[in-house]
Amino acid sequence: MGLSFNFASWPAHVLRTKLITELTFFSGVVVLLSGLGLSGFARCRRTGLITLAAALVASVLLVIMFVPTF
């Protein structure tokens, strides 16, 4: 098939599969980070704020990393 990073030359079904796979992976990671961020509140408010901050930082880094792939 000879696929390259020139997405304009990719067949439509392969490009659609790539998009679905990336969105699904991104959604799963966001859900995991949300769980991490909210899990700290089960213990105490301070721990919750710390885990929420860590999850927000990780989410921002994830967005910065994934935006150029679309």
Side-chain angles (χ1 to χ4, degrees), residues 2-70:
L3 296 176
S4 67
F5 287 109
N6 182 9
F7 297 132
S9 66
W10 286 33
H13 67 280
V14 175
L15 190 59
R16 191 171 36 249
T17 303
K18 174 191 173 298
L19 184 63
I20 291 170
T21 303
E22 286 181 348
L23 287 175
T24 304
F25 179 74
F26 182 75
S27 300
V29 171
V30 168
V31 168
L32 287 172
L33 288 173
S34 299
L36 170 74
L38 295 176
S39 67
F41 286 103
R43 182 165 180 186
C44 71
R45 182 175 291 204
R46 189 178 71 180
T47 305
L49 291 174
I50 292 170
T51 58
L52 182 63
L56 287 175
V57 168
S59 297
V60 168
L61 291 174
L62 183 72
V63 167
I64 290 171
M65 187 173 70
F66 270 101
V67 166
T69 64
F70 288 109

